Amino acid sequence: MTKGIRAIRGFRDIPPEEAWKLSYIEDRTQEHFQRYGYREIRLPMVEFTELFARGIGEATDIVEKEMYTFLDRNGQSLSLRPEGTASAVRAYIEGGWKSQHGITKVYYSGPMFRYERPQKGRYRQFYQLGLEAIGGAGPLVDAEVIDLLHRLFLVVEVQDVRILVNSLGCGKCRPDFRVRLLEYLTGVARELCSNCRRRMESNPLRVLDCKVPGCRSALEKVPVMLDYLCAECEDHFSAVREALDGLEVPYNVDPRIVRGLDYYNRTAFEAVCDRLGSQNAVAAGGRYDGLAKEIGGDAPGIGFAMGLERLGLIMNWDDVVPENPDYYVAAATSSARIPALELGDRLRALGFSVEVDLEDRSLKAQLRSANRMGIDSVLILGDDELSGGTVTLKDFVEKIQREVPLEEFMKEVMAAGTGPERR
Ligand code: HAM
């Protein structure tokens, strides 16, 4: 027997029982983003590898070892996108989107690909909802983006997410900090894990983020960027914090936030939830004023991306009811099969969602199905109903059953409003 073909490790099927939750999050989130003036963009899932190498940084984990990279038939190196920011900025430059109003606000939603070790909340294909405000350098843009993120958690009623904010400085003040950091790291190098010792050369800032306990204790007194900010970065960070305080956004300054992508400068932030375990970031982002220059343009920007599956894991779904079909049309006799399908179509034309039995099953079996699908109203058609021009209405919630003239029922239904508006 041929061995069954399975999905690739880290690439999950999302069954209907879970997919509706992701769609629910997407809908609520997109409505929320739109309230702040963000508009949807759709970006390619494959880009030239060079975009990510230059944009995200050669020495990042993502580019070094997590990208799905391949040669196409032309011998060009392409990669499945590991994130959306580099593509959004590329599209901004390539499309000449620089708007007269200054800031271009866009959002995107879709799968991203990273060859990471799969675990709870971490997959090789995962879904992100992200937004980018490109073209604005001022601190109020940062504050609005973080405020928007905070309020998104209110919209989806997740209470225990903490927002952590840091400043990563700029090209002016970071080199000096890097020197101090390297001095310190060299002093404690023997206590650091092999990964951190390697990182010291290529990307010393990432050492701050190491979760290995030995490194944690060696880094207790490590210098942090916040103490080395230049006057401009200091002013920017104070102005962001002042605006967040004014907007009553709860947050903590966490000098250990360094982020795993190289394009960040100044404001960086994460939204974390302890219930997620080790992969505790639900959303993360920051400012990337130098990214456009790396890929052939020039524009400041800031944004964040949220992991859809991770938000799904921490939301309370008890009070969010999936949208079950409105009606089940049951045929009590075989001559009622086609009329049942017709009635289904009439109701669908009014905007309702309707299930009709397609398997010629007994009435009892059809009622059981309706119940299992969470459908409260069943419409029964049998020989009596067909000859009398009626329909029998069975309501599982009200626990009533009555026979009514079909056209009267249709009028009642129309008066109650059609599907989409009614929802
Ligand atoms: P990131 O921190 O790499 O940032 O990813 C953002 C979010 O995507 C994470 O906080 C997490 O919720 C989710 N995520 C990342 N990797 C995985 C994975 N393997 N499985 C499940 N979820 C995951 C970025 O991607 C930046 N582009 C964010 C950004 C936008 N910065 C500025 N604008």
Side-chain angles (χ1 to χ4, degrees), residues 248-323:
E248 295 185 10
V249 176
Y251 66 93
N252 287 105
V253 174
D254 184 343
R256 291 296 182 98
I257 294 212
V258 288
R259 313 283 304 116
L261 306 94
D262 277 356
Y263 51 58
Y264 293 113
N265 69 309
R266 292 197 169 158
T267 316
F269 55 95
E270 287 185 2
V272 298
C273 177
D274 295 331
R275 277 186 290 134
L276 279 169
S278 64
Q279 302 305 313
N280 68 350
V282 195
R287 179 163 277 291
Y288 46 81
D289 297 337
L291 170 60
K293 281 202 193 86
E294 291 295 329
I295 55 181
D298 188 9
I302 181 167
F304 70 82
M306 182 173 73
L308 226 63
E309 293 93 342
R310 291 196 192 172
L311 183 59
L313 285 170
I314 58 171
M315 268 181 66
N316 177 5
W317 292 101
D318 293 348
D319 297 332
V320 189
V321 192
E323 276 180 14

Side-chain angles (χ1 to χ4, degrees), residues 83 85 114 116 121 123 128 132 259 263-264 281-282 303-304 307:
E83 60 109 47
T85 310
R114 294 184 196 176
E116 294 189 89
Y123 318 100
Q128 271 190 353
E132 314 294 345
R259 313 283 304 116
Y263 51 58
Y264 293 113
V282 195
F304 70 82

Side-chain angles (χ1 to χ4, degrees), residues 330-333 337 361-368 378 380-381:
T333 55
R337 297 276 161 210
R361 293 178 306 165
S362 70
L363 180 61
K364 205 167 145 201
Q366 294 178 60
L367 293 178
R368 221 181 298 126
V378 181
I380 304 169
L381 288 180

